[in-house]
mmCIF file with all atom_site columns, all heavy atoms in Angstrom:
data_model
loop_
_atom_site.group_PDB
_atom_site.id
_atom_site.type_symbol
_atom_site.label_atom_id
_atom_site.label_alt_id
_atom_site.label_comp_id
_atom_site.label_asym_id
_atom_site.label_entity_id
_atom_site.label_seq_id
_atom_site.pdbx_PDB_ins_code
_atom_site.Cartn_x
_atom_site.Cartn_y
_atom_site.Cartn_z
_atom_site.occupancy
_atom_site.B_iso_or_equiv
_atom_site.pdbx_formal_charge
_atom_site.auth_seq_id
_atom_site.auth_comp_id
_atom_site.auth_asym_id
_atom_site.auth_atom_id
_atom_site.pdbx_PDB_model_num
ATOM 1   N N   . ALA A 1 1  ? 109.158 100.805 106.637 1.00 0.00 ? 1  ALA A N   1
ATOM 2   C CA  . ALA A 1 1  ? 110.431 100.776 105.877 1.00 0.00 ? 1  ALA A CA  1
ATOM 3   C C   . ALA A 1 1  ? 110.363 101.523 104.565 1.00 0.00 ? 1  ALA A C   1
ATOM 4   O O   . ALA A 1 1  ? 111.340 102.090 104.119 1.00 0.00 ? 1  ALA A O   1
ATOM 5   C CB  . ALA A 1 1  ? 110.803 99.273  105.639 1.00 0.00 ? 1  ALA A CB  1
ATOM 6   N N   . GLY A 1 2  ? 109.199 101.501 103.918 1.00 0.00 ? 2  GLY A N   1
ATOM 7   C CA  . GLY A 1 2  ? 109.054 102.124 102.615 1.00 0.00 ? 2  GLY A CA  1
ATOM 8   C C   . GLY A 1 2  ? 109.112 101.062 101.532 1.00 0.00 ? 2  GLY A C   1
ATOM 9   O O   . GLY A 1 2  ? 110.023 100.196 101.488 1.00 0.00 ? 2  GLY A O   1
ATOM 10  N N   . ALA A 1 3  ? 108.203 101.025 100.608 1.00 0.00 ? 3  ALA A N   1
ATOM 11  C CA  . ALA A 1 3  ? 108.099 100.009 99.578  1.00 0.00 ? 3  ALA A CA  1
ATOM 12  C C   . ALA A 1 3  ? 108.848 100.350 98.328  1.00 0.00 ? 3  ALA A C   1
ATOM 13  O O   . ALA A 1 3  ? 109.110 101.575 98.078  1.00 0.00 ? 3  ALA A O   1
ATOM 14  C CB  . ALA A 1 3  ? 106.617 99.742  99.253  1.00 0.00 ? 3  ALA A CB  1
ATOM 15  N N   . ILE A 1 4  ? 109.162 99.351  97.568  1.00 0.00 ? 4  ILE A N   1
ATOM 16  C CA  . ILE A 1 4  ? 109.780 99.645  96.210  1.00 0.00 ? 4  ILE A CA  1
ATOM 17  C C   . ILE A 1 4  ? 108.789 100.259 95.286  1.00 0.00 ? 4  ILE A C   1
ATOM 18  O O   . ILE A 1 4  ? 107.597 100.344 95.565  1.00 0.00 ? 4  ILE A O   1
ATOM 19  C CB  . ILE A 1 4  ? 110.350 98.340  95.626  1.00 0.00 ? 4  ILE A CB  1
ATOM 20  C CG1 . ILE A 1 4  ? 109.188 97.357  95.246  1.00 0.00 ? 4  ILE A CG1 1
ATOM 21  C CG2 . ILE A 1 4  ? 111.362 97.655  96.499  1.00 0.00 ? 4  ILE A CG2 1
ATOM 22  C CD1 . ILE A 1 4  ? 109.629 96.183  94.438  1.00 0.00 ? 4  ILE A CD1 1
ATOM 23  N N   . SER A 1 5  ? 109.201 100.728 94.130  1.00 0.00 ? 5  SER A N   1
ATOM 24  C CA  . SER A 1 5  ? 108.293 101.296 93.140  1.00 0.00 ? 5  SER A CA  1
ATOM 25  C C   . SER A 1 5  ? 107.203 100.385 92.795  1.00 0.00 ? 5  SER A C   1
ATOM 26  O O   . SER A 1 5  ? 107.418 99.133  92.581  1.00 0.00 ? 5  SER A O   1
ATOM 27  C CB  . SER A 1 5  ? 109.149 101.610 91.848  1.00 0.00 ? 5  SER A CB  1
ATOM 28  O OG  . SER A 1 5  ? 108.355 101.698 90.708  1.00 0.00 ? 5  SER A OG  1
ATOM 29  N N   . PHE A 1 6  ? 106.010 100.915 92.644  1.00 0.00 ? 6  PHE A N   1
ATOM 30  C CA  . PHE A 1 6  ? 104.804 100.145 92.322  1.00 0.00 ? 6  PHE A CA  1
ATOM 31  C C   . PHE A 1 6  ? 104.972 99.412  90.962  1.00 0.00 ? 6  PHE A C   1
ATOM 32  O O   . PHE A 1 6  ? 104.830 98.173  90.831  1.00 0.00 ? 6  PHE A O   1
ATOM 33  C CB  . PHE A 1 6  ? 103.617 101.101 92.255  1.00 0.00 ? 6  PHE A CB  1
ATOM 34  C CG  . PHE A 1 6  ? 102.278 100.436 91.883  1.00 0.00 ? 6  PHE A CG  1
ATOM 35  C CD1 . PHE A 1 6  ? 101.766 99.456  92.744  1.00 0.00 ? 6  PHE A CD1 1
ATOM 36  C CD2 . PHE A 1 6  ? 101.585 100.919 90.790  1.00 0.00 ? 6  PHE A CD2 1
ATOM 37  C CE1 . PHE A 1 6  ? 100.513 98.878  92.396  1.00 0.00 ? 6  PHE A CE1 1
ATOM 38  C CE2 . PHE A 1 6  ? 100.366 100.327 90.448  1.00 0.00 ? 6  PHE A CE2 1
ATOM 39  C CZ  . PHE A 1 6  ? 99.822  99.327  91.270  1.00 0.00 ? 6  PHE A CZ  1
ATOM 40  N N   . GLU A 1 7  ? 105.379 100.120 89.960  1.00 0.00 ? 7  GLU A N   1
ATOM 41  C CA  . GLU A 1 7  ? 105.547 99.547  88.620  1.00 0.00 ? 7  GLU A CA  1
ATOM 42  C C   . GLU A 1 7  ? 106.690 98.531  88.601  1.00 0.00 ? 7  GLU A C   1
ATOM 43  O O   . GLU A 1 7  ? 106.614 97.515  87.923  1.00 0.00 ? 7  GLU A O   1
ATOM 44  C CB  . GLU A 1 7  ? 105.712 100.634 87.580  1.00 0.00 ? 7  GLU A CB  1
ATOM 45  C CG  . GLU A 1 7  ? 104.466 101.562 87.364  1.00 0.00 ? 7  GLU A CG  1
ATOM 46  C CD  . GLU A 1 7  ? 103.217 100.793 86.860  1.00 0.00 ? 7  GLU A CD  1
ATOM 47  O OE1 . GLU A 1 7  ? 103.430 99.737  86.336  1.00 0.00 ? 7  GLU A OE1 1
ATOM 48  O OE2 . GLU A 1 7  ? 102.161 101.369 87.034  1.00 0.00 ? 7  GLU A OE2 1
ATOM 49  N N   . ASP A 1 8  ? 107.741 98.829  89.299  1.00 0.00 ? 8  ASP A N   1
ATOM 50  C CA  . ASP A 1 8  ? 108.876 97.873  89.368  1.00 0.00 ? 8  ASP A CA  1
ATOM 51  C C   . ASP A 1 8  ? 108.461 96.578  90.000  1.00 0.00 ? 8  ASP A C   1
ATOM 52  O O   . ASP A 1 8  ? 108.848 95.459  89.527  1.00 0.00 ? 8  ASP A O   1
ATOM 53  C CB  . ASP A 1 8  ? 110.057 98.470  90.125  1.00 0.00 ? 8  ASP A CB  1
ATOM 54  C CG  . ASP A 1 8  ? 110.821 99.532  89.345  1.00 0.00 ? 8  ASP A CG  1
ATOM 55  O OD1 . ASP A 1 8  ? 110.546 99.648  88.144  1.00 0.00 ? 8  ASP A OD1 1
ATOM 56  O OD2 . ASP A 1 8  ? 111.626 100.238 90.002  1.00 0.00 ? 8  ASP A OD2 1
ATOM 57  N N   . GLY A 1 9  ? 107.627 96.707  91.019  1.00 0.00 ? 9  GLY A N   1
ATOM 58  C CA  . GLY A 1 9  ? 107.120 95.485  91.682  1.00 0.00 ? 9  GLY A CA  1
ATOM 59  C C   . GLY A 1 9  ? 106.228 94.612  90.799  1.00 0.00 ? 9  GLY A C   1
ATOM 60  O O   . GLY A 1 9  ? 106.346 93.418  90.771  1.00 0.00 ? 9  GLY A O   1
ATOM 61  N N   . ILE A 1 10 ? 105.406 95.322  89.995  1.00 0.00 ? 10 ILE A N   1
ATOM 62  C CA  . ILE A 1 10 ? 104.484 94.626  89.038  1.00 0.00 ? 10 ILE A CA  1
ATOM 63  C C   . ILE A 1 10 ? 105.358 93.985  87.940  1.00 0.00 ? 10 ILE A C   1
ATOM 64  O O   . ILE A 1 10 ? 105.066 92.830  87.528  1.00 0.00 ? 10 ILE A O   1
ATOM 65  C CB  . ILE A 1 10 ? 103.434 95.606  88.503  1.00 0.00 ? 10 ILE A CB  1
ATOM 66  C CG1 . ILE A 1 10 ? 102.477 95.967  89.628  1.00 0.00 ? 10 ILE A CG1 1
ATOM 67  C CG2 . ILE A 1 10 ? 102.755 95.047  87.297  1.00 0.00 ? 10 ILE A CG2 1
ATOM 68  C CD1 . ILE A 1 10 ? 101.581 97.121  89.269  1.00 0.00 ? 10 ILE A CD1 1
ATOM 69  N N   . LYS A 1 11 ? 106.301 94.692  87.404  1.00 0.00 ? 11 LYS A N   1
ATOM 70  C CA  . LYS A 1 11 ? 107.134 94.136  86.337  1.00 0.00 ? 11 LYS A CA  1
ATOM 71  C C   . LYS A 1 11 ? 107.897 92.915  86.745  1.00 0.00 ? 11 LYS A C   1
ATOM 72  O O   . LYS A 1 11 ? 108.213 92.058  85.924  1.00 0.00 ? 11 LYS A O   1
ATOM 73  C CB  . LYS A 1 11 ? 108.056 95.210  85.799  1.00 0.00 ? 11 LYS A CB  1
ATOM 74  C CG  . LYS A 1 11 ? 107.405 96.322  85.082  1.00 0.00 ? 11 LYS A CG  1
ATOM 75  C CD  . LYS A 1 11 ? 108.418 97.398  84.655  1.00 0.00 ? 11 LYS A CD  1
ATOM 76  C CE  . LYS A 1 11 ? 107.682 98.574  84.000  1.00 0.00 ? 11 LYS A CE  1
ATOM 77  N NZ  . LYS A 1 11 ? 108.602 99.738  83.728  1.00 0.00 ? 11 LYS A NZ  1
ATOM 78  N N   . ALA A 1 12 ? 108.191 92.826  88.037  1.00 0.00 ? 12 ALA A N   1
ATOM 79  C CA  . ALA A 1 12 ? 108.987 91.653  88.531  1.00 0.00 ? 12 ALA A CA  1
ATOM 80  C C   . ALA A 1 12 ? 108.157 90.377  88.680  1.00 0.00 ? 12 ALA A C   1
ATOM 81  O O   . ALA A 1 12 ? 108.704 89.276  88.872  1.00 0.00 ? 12 ALA A O   1
ATOM 82  C CB  . ALA A 1 12 ? 109.596 92.022  89.880  1.00 0.00 ? 12 ALA A CB  1
ATOM 83  N N   . VAL A 1 13 ? 106.819 90.449  88.543  1.00 0.00 ? 13 VAL A N   1
ATOM 84  C CA  . VAL A 1 13 ? 105.974 89.264  88.666  1.00 0.00 ? 13 VAL A CA  1
ATOM 85  C C   . VAL A 1 13 ? 106.177 88.383  87.422  1.00 0.00 ? 13 VAL A C   1
ATOM 86  O O   . VAL A 1 13 ? 105.995 88.886  86.337  1.00 0.00 ? 13 VAL A O   1
ATOM 87  C CB  . VAL A 1 13 ? 104.485 89.715  88.795  1.00 0.00 ? 13 VAL A CB  1
ATOM 88  C CG1 . VAL A 1 13 ? 103.629 88.416  88.771  1.00 0.00 ? 13 VAL A CG1 1
ATOM 89  C CG2 . VAL A 1 13 ? 104.233 90.477  90.101  1.00 0.00 ? 13 VAL A CG2 1
ATOM 90  N N   . PRO A 1 14 ? 106.618 87.095  87.615  1.00 0.00 ? 14 PRO A N   1
ATOM 91  C CA  . PRO A 1 14 ? 106.798 86.241  86.451  1.00 0.00 ? 14 PRO A CA  1
ATOM 92  C C   . PRO A 1 14 ? 105.496 85.971  85.733  1.00 0.00 ? 14 PRO A C   1
ATOM 93  O O   . PRO A 1 14 ? 104.496 85.672  86.318  1.00 0.00 ? 14 PRO A O   1
ATOM 94  C CB  . PRO A 1 14 ? 107.322 84.952  87.088  1.00 0.00 ? 14 PRO A CB  1
ATOM 95  C CG  . PRO A 1 14 ? 107.805 85.381  88.451  1.00 0.00 ? 14 PRO A CG  1
ATOM 96  C CD  . PRO A 1 14 ? 106.913 86.478  88.888  1.00 0.00 ? 14 PRO A CD  1
ATOM 97  N N   . ARG A 1 15 ? 105.520 86.171  84.380  1.00 0.00 ? 15 ARG A N   1
ATOM 98  C CA  . ARG A 1 15 ? 104.353 85.830  83.557  1.00 0.00 ? 15 ARG A CA  1
ATOM 99  C C   . ARG A 1 15 ? 104.647 84.480  82.921  1.00 0.00 ? 15 ARG A C   1
ATOM 100 O O   . ARG A 1 15 ? 105.660 84.277  82.265  1.00 0.00 ? 15 ARG A O   1
ATOM 101 C CB  . ARG A 1 15 ? 104.207 86.907  82.485  1.00 0.00 ? 15 ARG A CB  1
ATOM 102 C CG  . ARG A 1 15 ? 103.827 88.285  83.034  1.00 0.00 ? 15 ARG A CG  1
ATOM 103 C CD  . ARG A 1 15 ? 102.517 88.347  83.758  1.00 0.00 ? 15 ARG A CD  1
ATOM 104 N NE  . ARG A 1 15 ? 102.185 89.690  84.118  1.00 0.00 ? 15 ARG A NE  1
ATOM 105 C CZ  . ARG A 1 15 ? 101.173 90.366  83.514  1.00 0.00 ? 15 ARG A CZ  1
ATOM 106 N NH1 . ARG A 1 15 ? 100.421 89.833  82.517  1.00 0.00 ? 15 ARG A NH1 1
ATOM 107 N NH2 . ARG A 1 15 ? 100.861 91.581  83.840  1.00 0.00 ? 15 ARG A NH2 1
ATOM 108 N N   . LEU A 1 16 ? 103.710 83.579  83.081  1.00 0.00 ? 16 LEU A N   1
ATOM 109 C CA  . LEU A 1 16 ? 103.867 82.212  82.532  1.00 0.00 ? 16 LEU A CA  1
ATOM 110 C C   . LEU A 1 16 ? 102.815 81.879  81.522  1.00 0.00 ? 16 LEU A C   1
ATOM 111 O O   . LEU A 1 16 ? 101.757 82.500  81.416  1.00 0.00 ? 16 LEU A O   1
ATOM 112 C CB  . LEU A 1 16 ? 103.656 81.223  83.704  1.00 0.00 ? 16 LEU A CB  1
ATOM 113 C CG  . LEU A 1 16 ? 104.497 81.441  85.004  1.00 0.00 ? 16 LEU A CG  1
ATOM 114 C CD1 . LEU A 1 16 ? 104.118 80.391  86.043  1.00 0.00 ? 16 LEU A CD1 1
ATOM 115 C CD2 . LEU A 1 16 ? 105.984 81.405  84.662  1.00 0.00 ? 16 LEU A CD2 1
ATOM 116 N N   . GLY A 1 17 ? 103.153 80.937  80.607  1.00 0.00 ? 17 GLY A N   1
ATOM 117 C CA  . GLY A 1 17 ? 102.223 80.460  79.656  1.00 0.00 ? 17 GLY A CA  1
ATOM 118 C C   . GLY A 1 17 ? 101.145 79.715  80.374  1.00 0.00 ? 17 GLY A C   1
ATOM 119 O O   . GLY A 1 17 ? 101.334 79.136  81.462  1.00 0.00 ? 17 GLY A O   1
ATOM 120 N N   . ASN A 1 18 ? 99.959  79.641  79.764  1.00 0.00 ? 18 ASN A N   1
ATOM 121 C CA  . ASN A 1 18 ? 98.828  78.953  80.472  1.00 0.00 ? 18 ASN A CA  1
ATOM 122 C C   . ASN A 1 18 ? 99.020  77.547  80.745  1.00 0.00 ? 18 ASN A C   1
ATOM 123 O O   . ASN A 1 18 ? 98.342  76.957  81.655  1.00 0.00 ? 18 ASN A O   1
ATOM 124 C CB  . ASN A 1 18 ? 97.492  79.238  79.734  1.00 0.00 ? 18 ASN A CB  1
ATOM 125 C CG  . ASN A 1 18 ? 97.432  78.526  78.383  1.00 0.00 ? 18 ASN A CG  1
ATOM 126 O OD1 . ASN A 1 18 ? 98.460  78.427  77.672  1.00 0.00 ? 18 ASN A OD1 1
ATOM 127 N ND2 . ASN A 1 18 ? 96.280  77.970  78.018  1.00 0.00 ? 18 ASN A ND2 1
ATOM 128 N N   . ASP A 1 19 ? 99.920  76.848  80.023  1.00 0.00 ? 19 ASP A N   1
ATOM 129 C CA  . ASP A 1 19 ? 100.200 75.462  80.310  1.00 0.00 ? 19 ASP A CA  1
ATOM 130 C C   . ASP A 1 19 ? 101.560 75.207  80.946  1.00 0.00 ? 19 ASP A C   1
ATOM 131 O O   . ASP A 1 19 ? 102.190 74.151  80.797  1.00 0.00 ? 19 ASP A O   1
ATOM 132 C CB  . ASP A 1 19 ? 99.986  74.656  79.041  1.00 0.00 ? 19 ASP A CB  1
ATOM 133 C CG  . ASP A 1 19 ? 98.515  74.476  78.671  1.00 0.00 ? 19 ASP A CG  1
ATOM 134 O OD1 . ASP A 1 19 ? 97.712  74.348  79.606  1.00 0.00 ? 19 ASP A OD1 1
ATOM 135 O OD2 . ASP A 1 19 ? 98.201  74.442  77.524  1.00 0.00 ? 19 ASP A OD2 1
ATOM 136 N N   . ALA A 1 20 ? 102.089 76.245  81.537  1.00 0.00 ? 20 ALA A N   1
ATOM 137 C CA  . ALA A 1 20 ? 103.437 76.094  82.155  1.00 0.00 ? 20 ALA A CA  1
ATOM 138 C C   . ALA A 1 20 ? 103.309 75.099  83.306  1.00 0.00 ? 20 ALA A C   1
ATOM 139 O O   . ALA A 1 20 ? 102.245 74.909  83.932  1.00 0.00 ? 20 ALA A O   1
ATOM 140 C CB  . ALA A 1 20 ? 103.832 77.455  82.757  1.00 0.00 ? 20 ALA A CB  1
ATOM 141 N N   . LYS A 1 21 ? 104.440 74.419  83.555  1.00 0.00 ? 21 LYS A N   1
ATOM 142 C CA  . LYS A 1 21 ? 104.465 73.407  84.628  1.00 0.00 ? 21 LYS A CA  1
ATOM 143 C C   . LYS A 1 21 ? 104.591 74.178  85.943  1.00 0.00 ? 21 LYS A C   1
ATOM 144 O O   . LYS A 1 21 ? 105.621 74.835  86.128  1.00 0.00 ? 21 LYS A O   1
ATOM 145 C CB  . LYS A 1 21 ? 105.597 72.417  84.421  1.00 0.00 ? 21 LYS A CB  1
ATOM 146 C CG  . LYS A 1 21 ? 105.661 71.297  85.463  1.00 0.00 ? 21 LYS A CG  1
ATOM 147 C CD  . LYS A 1 21 ? 106.685 70.277  85.114  1.00 0.00 ? 21 LYS A CD  1
ATOM 148 C CE  . LYS A 1 21 ? 106.860 69.283  86.227  1.00 0.00 ? 21 LYS A CE  1
ATOM 149 N NZ  . LYS A 1 21 ? 105.548 68.569  86.539  1.00 0.00 ? 21 LYS A NZ  1
ATOM 150 N N   . LEU A 1 22 ? 103.644 73.980  86.816  1.00 0.00 ? 22 LEU A N   1
ATOM 151 C CA  . LEU A 1 22 ? 103.701 74.668  88.138  1.00 0.00 ? 22 LEU A CA  1
ATOM 152 C C   . LEU A 1 22 ? 104.304 73.825  89.207  1.00 0.00 ? 22 LEU A C   1
ATOM 153 O O   . LEU A 1 22 ? 104.171 72.528  89.071  1.00 0.00 ? 22 LEU A O   1
ATOM 154 C CB  . LEU A 1 22 ? 102.285 75.137  88.558  1.00 0.00 ? 22 LEU A CB  1
ATOM 155 C CG  . LEU A 1 22 ? 101.518 75.916  87.543  1.00 0.00 ? 22 LEU A CG  1
ATOM 156 C CD1 . LEU A 1 22 ? 100.183 76.361  88.111  1.00 0.00 ? 22 LEU A CD1 1
ATOM 157 C CD2 . LEU A 1 22 ? 102.296 77.084  86.961  1.00 0.00 ? 22 LEU A CD2 1
ATOM 158 N N   . GLU A 1 23 ? 104.865 74.390  90.168  1.00 0.00 ? 23 GLU A N   1
ATOM 159 C CA  . GLU A 1 23 ? 105.518 73.611  91.282  1.00 0.00 ? 23 GLU A CA  1
ATOM 160 C C   . GLU A 1 23 ? 104.430 72.741  91.955  1.00 0.00 ? 23 GLU A C   1
ATOM 161 O O   . GLU A 1 23 ? 103.348 73.264  92.409  1.00 0.00 ? 23 GLU A O   1
ATOM 162 C CB  . GLU A 1 23 ? 106.168 74.565  92.224  1.00 0.00 ? 23 GLU A CB  1
ATOM 163 C CG  . GLU A 1 23 ? 106.809 73.877  93.391  1.00 0.00 ? 23 GLU A CG  1
ATOM 164 C CD  . GLU A 1 23 ? 107.353 74.850  94.424  1.00 0.00 ? 23 GLU A CD  1
ATOM 165 O OE1 . GLU A 1 23 ? 107.893 75.950  93.963  1.00 0.00 ? 23 GLU A OE1 1
ATOM 166 O OE2 . GLU A 1 23 ? 107.292 74.640  95.615  1.00 0.00 ? 23 GLU A OE2 1
ATOM 167 N N   . GLU A 1 24 ? 104.728 71.484  92.073  1.00 0.00 ? 24 GLU A N   1
ATOM 168 C CA  . GLU A 1 24 ? 103.744 70.574  92.686  1.00 0.00 ? 24 GLU A CA  1
ATOM 169 C C   . GLU A 1 24 ? 103.487 70.896  94.136  1.00 0.00 ? 24 GLU A C   1
ATOM 170 O O   . GLU A 1 24 ? 104.436 71.159  94.906  1.00 0.00 ? 24 GLU A O   1
ATOM 171 C CB  . GLU A 1 24 ? 104.288 69.119  92.571  1.00 0.00 ? 24 GLU A CB  1
ATOM 172 C CG  . GLU A 1 24 ? 103.266 68.094  92.945  1.00 0.00 ? 24 GLU A CG  1
ATOM 173 C CD  . GLU A 1 24 ? 103.763 66.694  92.718  1.00 0.00 ? 24 GLU A CD  1
ATOM 174 O OE1 . GLU A 1 24 ? 104.761 66.491  92.003  1.00 0.00 ? 24 GLU A OE1 1
ATOM 175 O OE2 . GLU A 1 24 ? 103.108 65.762  93.260  1.00 0.00 ? 24 GLU A OE2 1
ATOM 176 N N   . GLY A 1 25 ? 102.235 70.968  94.490  1.00 0.00 ? 25 GLY A N   1
ATOM 177 C CA  . GLY A 1 25 ? 101.841 71.250  95.874  1.00 0.00 ? 25 GLY A CA  1
ATOM 178 C C   . GLY A 1 25 ? 101.777 72.765  96.208  1.00 0.00 ? 25 GLY A C   1
ATOM 179 O O   . GLY A 1 25 ? 101.375 73.117  97.306  1.00 0.00 ? 25 GLY A O   1
#
């Protein structure tokens, strides 16, 4: 199919604080 831009894909990754509440399980 062809992938999206490499850098766009990386920028879309959510960055969280180290004590962010993560989804249980």
Side-chain angles (χ1 to χ4, degrees):
I4 65 169
S5 156
F6 180 61
E7 295 296 341
D8 286 349
I10 289 169
K11 289 174 184 175
V13 174
R15 298 295 189 107
L16 308 177
N18 66 323
D19 286 327
K21 183 174 175 57
L22 307 186
E23 180 184 322
E24 188 173 348

